[in-house]
Protein backbone atom coordinates (compact mmCIF):
# COMPACT_ATOMS: atom_id res chain seq x y z
CA UNK A 1 0.00 0.00 0.00
CA UNK A 2 1.41 3.47 -0.81
CA UNK A 3 1.77 5.99 2.01
CA UNK A 4 -1.67 7.48 2.58
CA UNK A 5 -2.96 10.88 3.67
CA UNK A 6 -3.61 11.44 7.35
CA UNK A 7 -6.99 12.97 6.54
CA UNK A 8 -8.27 9.64 5.30
CA UNK A 9 -7.14 7.81 8.46
CA UNK A 10 -8.66 10.43 10.74
CA UNK A 11 -11.95 10.54 8.82
CA UNK A 12 -12.18 6.75 9.15
CA UNK A 13 -11.29 6.96 12.84
CA UNK A 14 -14.06 9.53 13.37
CA UNK A 15 -16.56 7.21 11.66
CA UNK A 16 -15.42 4.31 13.85
CA UNK A 17 -15.17 6.40 17.05
CA UNK A 18 -11.53 5.52 17.75
CA UNK A 19 -8.17 7.30 18.01
CA UNK A 20 -4.95 6.74 16.08
CA UNK A 21 -1.54 6.85 17.75
CA UNK A 22 1.11 9.00 16.07
CA UNK A 23 4.49 7.65 17.07
CA UNK A 24 7.76 9.57 16.64
CA UNK A 25 10.73 7.94 14.94
CA UNK A 26 14.39 8.68 14.27
CA UNK A 27 15.75 5.36 13.03
CA UNK A 28 15.07 1.96 11.51
CA UNK A 29 14.47 0.09 14.76
CA UNK A 30 11.70 2.46 15.83
CA UNK A 31 9.97 2.15 12.45
CA UNK A 32 10.26 -1.64 12.67
CA UNK A 33 8.76 -1.66 16.19
CA UNK A 34 5.76 0.35 15.05
CA UNK A 35 5.17 -1.74 11.94
CA UNK A 36 5.37 -5.01 13.86
CA UNK A 37 2.92 -3.67 16.46
CA UNK A 38 0.60 -2.51 13.67
CA UNK A 39 0.71 -5.94 12.03
CA UNK A 40 0.14 -7.76 15.31
CA UNK A 41 -2.85 -5.58 16.22
CA UNK A 42 -4.07 -4.96 12.63
CA UNK A 43 -3.88 -1.19 13.09
CA UNK A 44 -3.68 1.77 10.74
CA UNK A 45 -0.87 4.01 11.95
CA UNK A 46 0.76 7.44 11.79
CA UNK A 47 4.55 7.58 11.89
CA UNK A 48 5.86 11.07 12.55
CA UNK A 49 9.22 12.79 12.37
CA UNK A 50 10.21 16.10 13.90
CA UNK A 51 12.73 18.50 12.39
CA UNK A 52 15.31 17.00 14.74
CA UNK A 53 14.50 13.49 13.47
CA UNK A 54 14.75 14.63 9.87
CA UNK A 55 18.15 16.10 10.46
CA UNK A 56 19.34 13.07 12.49
CA UNK A 57 18.29 10.67 9.73
CA UNK A 58 19.28 13.02 6.87
CA UNK A 59 15.68 12.98 5.59
CA UNK A 60 16.33 10.54 2.78
CA UNK A 61 17.18 7.62 5.07
CA UNK A 62 13.94 8.19 6.90
CA UNK A 63 11.88 8.49 3.73
CA UNK A 64 13.29 5.33 2.18
CA UNK A 65 12.82 3.41 5.44
CA UNK A 66 9.18 4.46 5.29
CA UNK A 67 8.91 3.24 1.70
CA UNK A 68 10.36 -0.08 2.87
CA UNK A 69 7.77 -0.19 5.66
CA UNK A 70 4.94 0.42 3.18
CA UNK A 71 6.30 -2.33 0.91
CA UNK A 72 6.88 -4.88 3.68
CA UNK A 73 3.56 -4.24 5.45
CA UNK A 74 1.17 -3.71 2.52
CA UNK A 75 -1.92 -4.40 4.64
CA UNK A 76 -1.26 -1.43 6.97
CA UNK A 77 -2.58 2.05 6.08
CA UNK A 78 0.50 4.14 6.87
CA UNK A 79 0.98 7.91 7.10
CA UNK A 80 4.26 9.82 7.15
CA UNK A 81 3.64 13.01 9.11
CA UNK A 82 5.86 16.01 9.89
CA UNK A 83 5.67 16.78 13.61
CA UNK A 84 5.89 20.48 14.58
CA UNK A 85 6.91 22.12 11.32
CA UNK A 86 8.24 25.51 12.44
CA UNK A 87 7.75 27.37 9.16
CA UNK A 88 6.11 27.28 5.75
CA UNK A 89 9.52 26.40 4.30
CA UNK A 90 9.94 23.34 6.56
CA UNK A 91 6.48 22.08 5.57
CA UNK A 92 7.28 22.68 1.90
CA UNK A 93 10.47 20.62 2.08
CA UNK A 94 8.60 17.77 3.81
CA UNK A 95 5.91 17.75 1.12
CA UNK A 96 8.57 17.75 -1.58
CA UNK A 97 10.28 14.80 0.09
CA UNK A 98 7.06 12.74 0.16
CA UNK A 99 5.46 13.31 3.58
CA UNK A 100 1.72 12.70 3.26
CA UNK A 101 0.83 14.98 6.16
CA UNK A 102 2.43 18.03 7.76
CA UNK A 103 2.01 19.99 10.95
CA UNK A 104 2.40 23.74 10.64
CA UNK A 105 2.95 24.77 14.23
CA UNK A 106 2.24 28.47 13.87
CA UNK A 107 1.50 28.74 17.59
CA UNK A 108 5.21 29.54 17.85
CA UNK A 109 7.37 31.80 15.74
CA UNK A 110 9.82 30.10 13.32
CA UNK A 111 12.41 30.01 16.15
CA UNK A 112 10.21 27.26 17.62
CA UNK A 113 10.26 28.96 21.02
CA UNK A 114 8.42 32.28 21.03
CA UNK A 115 4.61 32.21 21.22
CA UNK A 116 3.22 33.90 18.08
CA UNK A 117 0.21 36.14 17.46
CA UNK A 118 -3.13 34.73 16.29
CA UNK A 119 -2.75 36.65 13.01
CA UNK A 120 0.67 35.14 12.30
CA UNK A 121 -0.62 31.64 13.09
CA UNK A 122 -3.63 32.03 10.76
CA UNK A 123 -1.52 33.40 7.93
CA UNK A 124 1.23 30.73 8.12
CA UNK A 125 -1.23 27.86 8.53
CA UNK A 126 -3.40 29.11 5.65
CA UNK A 127 -0.37 29.26 3.41
CA UNK A 128 0.55 25.66 4.23
CA UNK A 129 -3.06 24.50 3.75
CA UNK A 130 -3.12 25.97 0.22
CA UNK A 131 0.23 24.40 -0.68
CA UNK A 132 -0.46 21.01 0.91
CA UNK A 133 -4.06 20.52 -0.21
CA UNK A 134 -3.05 21.19 -3.83
CA UNK A 135 -1.04 17.96 -3.49
CA UNK A 136 -3.58 16.04 -1.41
CA UNK A 137 -1.40 16.33 1.71
CA UNK A 138 -3.05 16.74 5.13
CA UNK A 139 -2.43 19.71 7.46
CA UNK A 140 -2.44 19.81 11.24
CA UNK A 141 -2.29 23.18 12.99
CA UNK A 142 -1.94 24.20 16.63
CA UNK A 143 -3.65 26.85 18.69
CA UNK A 144 -2.46 27.53 22.22
CA UNK A 145 1.01 26.25 23.18
CA UNK A 146 2.09 22.94 24.65
CA UNK A 147 4.43 22.96 27.61
CA UNK A 148 8.01 21.70 27.65
CA UNK A 149 10.49 21.28 24.83
CA UNK A 150 10.73 18.51 22.24
CA UNK A 151 13.84 18.25 20.08
CA UNK A 152 14.56 21.92 20.75
CA UNK A 153 10.98 22.92 19.82
CA UNK A 154 8.71 24.42 22.47
CA UNK A 155 8.25 27.31 24.86
CA UNK A 156 9.88 25.44 27.72
CA UNK A 157 7.04 26.81 29.87
CA UNK A 158 4.49 25.07 32.05
CA UNK A 159 1.67 23.31 30.13
CA UNK A 160 -0.93 25.63 31.66
CA UNK A 161 0.60 28.93 30.55
CA UNK A 162 -0.90 29.06 27.01
CA UNK A 163 -4.09 26.99 27.07
CA UNK A 164 -6.28 26.92 23.96
CA UNK A 165 -9.15 29.39 23.99
CA UNK A 166 -12.21 27.51 22.61
CA UNK A 167 -13.72 30.49 20.73
CA UNK A 168 -10.34 31.29 19.18
CA UNK A 169 -9.95 27.64 18.16
CA UNK A 170 -13.28 27.76 16.31
CA UNK A 171 -12.23 30.96 14.54
CA UNK A 172 -8.85 29.44 13.66
CA UNK A 173 -10.39 26.36 12.03
CA UNK A 174 -12.79 28.53 10.01
CA UNK A 175 -10.07 30.88 8.79
CA UNK A 176 -7.47 28.23 7.90
CA UNK A 177 -9.43 25.24 6.57
CA UNK A 178 -7.00 22.81 8.21
CA UNK A 179 -7.66 19.07 8.66
CA UNK A 180 -6.67 18.49 12.29
CA UNK A 181 -6.21 20.77 15.28
CA UNK A 182 -3.71 20.35 18.10
CA UNK A 183 -4.90 21.95 21.32
CA UNK A 184 -3.18 22.88 24.57
CA UNK A 185 -4.97 21.49 27.63
CA UNK A 186 -2.11 21.29 30.13
CA UNK A 187 0.08 18.58 28.62
CA UNK A 188 3.79 19.00 27.89
CA UNK A 189 6.31 17.21 25.75
CA UNK A 190 8.82 14.96 27.49
CA UNK A 191 8.91 12.85 30.64
CA UNK A 192 8.22 15.59 33.21
CA UNK A 193 4.58 16.56 32.63
CA UNK A 194 3.02 16.45 36.09
CA UNK A 195 4.51 16.27 39.59
CA UNK A 196 1.63 14.05 40.77
CA UNK A 197 -1.24 12.21 39.10
CA UNK A 198 -3.04 14.90 37.06
CA UNK A 199 -6.38 16.25 38.23
CA UNK A 200 -8.89 18.52 36.49
CA UNK A 201 -6.75 21.42 37.75
CA UNK A 202 -3.66 20.35 35.82
CA UNK A 203 -5.10 18.41 32.86
CA UNK A 204 -7.97 20.40 31.43
CA UNK A 205 -10.23 17.74 29.92
CA UNK A 206 -13.23 20.05 30.47
CA UNK A 207 -11.64 22.49 28.03
CA UNK A 208 -11.17 19.74 25.46
CA UNK A 209 -14.84 18.83 25.77
CA UNK A 210 -15.81 22.49 25.34
CA UNK A 211 -13.68 22.76 22.18
CA UNK A 212 -15.22 19.58 20.77
CA UNK A 213 -18.70 21.01 21.37
CA UNK A 214 -17.81 24.08 19.30
CA UNK A 215 -15.99 22.03 16.65
CA UNK A 216 -17.79 18.68 16.45
CA UNK A 217 -16.43 17.95 12.95
CA UNK A 218 -12.79 18.84 13.55
CA UNK A 219 -10.27 16.12 14.27
CA UNK A 220 -8.57 17.06 17.54
CA UNK A 221 -4.96 16.15 18.32
CA UNK A 222 -3.53 15.50 21.77
CA UNK A 223 0.19 16.22 21.93
CA UNK A 224 2.33 15.30 24.91
CA UNK A 225 0.25 12.17 25.44
CA UNK A 226 2.77 9.75 26.84
CA UNK A 227 1.58 8.08 30.01
CA UNK A 228 5.12 7.78 31.41
CA UNK A 229 4.30 4.46 33.10
CA UNK A 230 5.94 3.74 36.44
CA UNK A 231 7.13 0.29 35.30
CA UNK A 232 9.12 1.82 32.42
CA UNK A 233 10.63 4.41 34.76
CA UNK A 234 11.51 1.65 37.22
CA UNK A 235 13.45 -0.40 34.65
CA UNK A 236 15.59 2.63 33.78
CA UNK A 237 16.28 3.47 37.42
CA UNK A 238 16.93 -0.16 38.37
CA UNK A 239 19.70 -0.35 35.80
CA UNK A 240 21.54 2.82 36.73
CA UNK A 241 19.27 5.55 35.32
CA UNK A 242 18.37 8.68 37.26
CA UNK A 243 14.79 9.63 36.40
CA UNK A 244 13.04 11.81 38.95
CA UNK A 245 9.50 10.80 40.01
CA UNK A 246 7.03 11.95 37.37
CA UNK A 247 3.53 11.44 35.98
CA UNK A 248 2.19 11.41 32.43
CA UNK A 249 -1.28 11.48 30.88
CA UNK A 250 -3.36 8.55 32.19
CA UNK A 251 -4.72 6.34 29.39
CA UNK A 252 -8.29 6.77 30.77
CA UNK A 253 -8.02 10.54 30.13
CA UNK A 254 -6.91 9.90 26.54
CA UNK A 255 -9.86 7.54 26.14
CA UNK A 256 -12.17 10.28 27.43
CA UNK A 257 -10.58 12.57 24.82
CA UNK A 258 -11.27 10.00 22.08
CA UNK A 259 -14.95 10.02 23.09
CA UNK A 260 -14.79 13.81 22.58
CA UNK A 261 -13.25 14.29 19.16
CA UNK A 262 -9.59 13.34 19.69
CA UNK A 263 -8.46 11.34 16.66
CA UNK A 264 -4.66 11.65 16.76
CA UNK A 265 -2.62 10.96 19.88
CA UNK A 266 1.09 11.82 19.90
CA UNK A 267 3.40 9.47 21.74
CA UNK A 268 7.17 9.68 21.81
CA UNK A 269 8.45 9.65 25.40
CA UNK A 270 6.95 6.26 26.36
CA UNK A 271 8.86 4.66 23.50
CA UNK A 272 12.08 6.44 24.42
CA UNK A 273 11.70 5.15 27.98
CA UNK A 274 11.05 1.57 26.80
CA UNK A 275 14.09 1.60 24.51
CA UNK A 276 16.41 3.12 27.11
CA UNK A 277 15.32 0.68 29.83
CA UNK A 278 15.87 -2.33 27.58
CA UNK A 279 19.33 -1.17 26.54
CA UNK A 280 20.38 -0.35 30.12
CA UNK A 281 19.27 -3.82 31.22
CA UNK A 282 21.52 -5.54 28.68
CA UNK A 283 24.45 -3.27 29.53
CA UNK A 284 24.17 -4.12 33.23
CA UNK A 285 23.28 -7.80 32.97
CA UNK A 286 25.56 -8.70 30.07
CA UNK A 287 28.52 -6.32 30.25
CA UNK A 288 30.53 -8.65 28.02
CA UNK A 289 28.26 -7.88 25.06
CA UNK A 290 29.39 -5.49 22.35
CA UNK A 291 27.27 -6.47 19.36
CA UNK A 292 24.72 -3.64 18.90
CA UNK A 293 22.10 -6.24 17.99
CA UNK A 294 22.34 -7.70 21.50
CA UNK A 295 20.73 -4.55 22.92
CA UNK A 296 18.89 -3.11 19.90
CA UNK A 297 16.77 -6.24 19.50
CA UNK A 298 15.40 -6.12 23.07
CA UNK A 299 14.99 -2.35 22.65
CA UNK A 300 12.92 -2.90 19.51
CA UNK A 301 10.82 -5.53 21.27
CA UNK A 302 10.23 -3.26 24.29
CA UNK A 303 9.04 -0.41 22.07
CA UNK A 304 6.82 -2.75 20.06
CA UNK A 305 5.08 -3.86 23.27
CA UNK A 306 4.32 -0.27 24.28
CA UNK A 307 3.06 0.66 20.80
CA UNK A 308 0.86 -2.44 20.50
CA UNK A 309 -0.67 -1.71 23.90
CA UNK A 310 -1.42 1.90 22.97
CA UNK A 311 -2.95 0.81 19.64
CA UNK A 312 -5.33 -1.43 21.55
CA UNK A 313 -6.10 1.23 24.17
CA UNK A 314 -6.73 3.95 21.54
CA UNK A 315 -9.10 1.63 19.64
CA UNK A 316 -7.32 1.60 16.27
CA UNK A 317 -6.55 -2.13 16.62
CA UNK A 318 -8.49 -4.27 14.17
CA UNK A 319 -9.19 -1.41 11.74
CA UNK A 320 -6.31 -1.79 9.24
CA UNK A 321 -8.44 -3.60 6.70
CA UNK A 322 -11.57 -1.43 6.92
CA UNK A 323 -10.90 0.73 3.87
CA UNK A 324 -9.00 1.10 0.60
CA UNK A 325 -6.37 3.83 0.37
CA UNK A 326 -7.35 7.00 -1.46
CA UNK A 327 -4.49 8.39 -3.57
CA UNK A 328 -3.05 11.84 -2.85
CA UNK A 329 -4.21 12.93 -6.34
CA UNK A 330 -7.76 11.96 -5.45
CA UNK A 331 -7.45 13.79 -2.12
CA UNK A 332 -6.23 16.89 -4.00
CA UNK A 333 -9.22 16.67 -6.33
CA UNK A 334 -11.58 16.43 -3.35
CA UNK A 335 -10.05 19.52 -1.69
CA UNK A 336 -10.33 21.45 -4.98
CA UNK A 337 -13.97 20.44 -5.35
CA UNK A 338 -14.78 21.53 -1.78
CA UNK A 339 -13.09 24.88 -2.36
CA UNK A 340 -15.06 25.49 -5.54
CA UNK A 341 -18.40 24.57 -3.90
P1 LIG B 1 5.29 12.87 24.57
O1 LIG B 1 6.59 13.54 24.93
O2 LIG B 1 4.28 12.91 25.67
O3 LIG B 1 5.49 11.48 24.08
O4 LIG B 1 4.65 13.69 23.37
C1 LIG B 1 5.10 13.56 22.06
C2 LIG B 1 4.51 14.57 21.16
O5 LIG B 1 3.55 15.23 21.47
C3 LIG B 1 5.13 14.73 19.83
O6 LIG B 1 4.64 15.85 19.15
Amino acid sequence: MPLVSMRQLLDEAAKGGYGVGAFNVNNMEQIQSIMEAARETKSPVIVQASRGARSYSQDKFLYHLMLAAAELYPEIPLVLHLDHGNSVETCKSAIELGFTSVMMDGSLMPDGKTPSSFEYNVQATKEVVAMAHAKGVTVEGEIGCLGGIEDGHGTGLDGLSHLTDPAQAAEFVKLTGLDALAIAIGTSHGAYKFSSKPTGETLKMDRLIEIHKLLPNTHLVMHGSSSVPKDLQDVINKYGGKLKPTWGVPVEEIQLGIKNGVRKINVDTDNRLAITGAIRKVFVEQPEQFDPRSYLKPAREAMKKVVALRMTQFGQAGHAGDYKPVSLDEMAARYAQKKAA
Side-chain angles (χ1 to χ4, degrees), residues 152-331:
H153 185 100
T155 57
L157 298 170
D158 179 72
L160 295 171
S161 50
H162 290 276
L163 293 174
T164 303
D165 174 71
Q168 207 178 49
E171 184 69 4
F172 186 66
V173 169
K174 200 169 89 195
L175 291 172
T176 58
L178 49 64
D179 300 282
L181 181 68
I183 54 171
I185 52 166
T187 65
S188 309
H189 291 123
Y192 299 102
K193 301 181 195 303
F194 304 106
S195 53
S196 58
K197 190 170 181 221
T199 62
E201 287 304 305
T202 49
L203 179 60
K204 303 279 187 187
M205 295 305 292
D206 50 351
R207 193 170 285 242
L208 183 150
I209 292 167
E210 208 181 322
I211 295 168
H212 177 55
K213 280 196 184 126
L214 286 179
L215 291 166
N217 300 317
T218 299
H219 303 309
L220 300 180
V221 183
M222 261 175 94
H223 280 246
S225 291
S226 277
S227 301
V228 196
K230 175 90 169 45
D231 57 332
L232 295 182
Q233 297 180 43
D234 287 348
V235 177
I236 292 182
N237 287 339
K238 179 172 173 193
Y239 294 103
K242 282 200 166 49
L243 293 177
K244 291 175 275 182
T246 178
W247 279 260
V249 181
V251 169
E252 318 83 76
E253 302 291 355
I254 297 172
Q255 289 167 333
L256 174 65
I258 293 169
K259 286 199 181 87
N260 289 281
V262 171
R263 298 293 157 233
K264 173 173 182 271
I265 304 111
N266 285 15
V267 175
D268 185 6
T269 297
D270 284 353
N271 294 324
R272 293 180 178 204
L273 294 173
I275 288 171
T276 300
I279 291 178
R280 280 190 171 279
K281 185 168 188 284
V282 175
F283 283 178
V284 170
E285 289 182 348
Q286 302 170 58
E288 72 287 359
Q289 285 287 359
F290 59 90
D291 180 343
R293 288 170 299 185
S294 70
Y295 49 89
L296 291 178
K297 265 192 194 176
R300 196 166 60 182
E301 192 52 34
M303 172 163 162
K304 182 195 128 186
K305 255 175 77 182
V306 173
V307 173
L309 179 63
R310 294 288 176 268
M311 285 171 161
T312 307
Q313 292 166 328
F314 299 162
Q316 74 209 77
H319 289 288
D322 289 0
Y323 47 93
K324 293 260 165 304
V326 171
S327 70
L328 290 190
D329 284 347
E330 170 60 22
M331 288 304 293

Side-chain angles (χ1 to χ4, degrees), residues 28-45:
M28 178 181 79
E29 284 77 8
Q30 289 177 305
I31 295 176
Q32 289 174 326
S33 303
I34 296 168
M35 296 316 296
E36 276 300 302
R39 173 163 283 168
E40 190 177 284
T41 60
K42 300 186 173 50
S43 298
V45 69

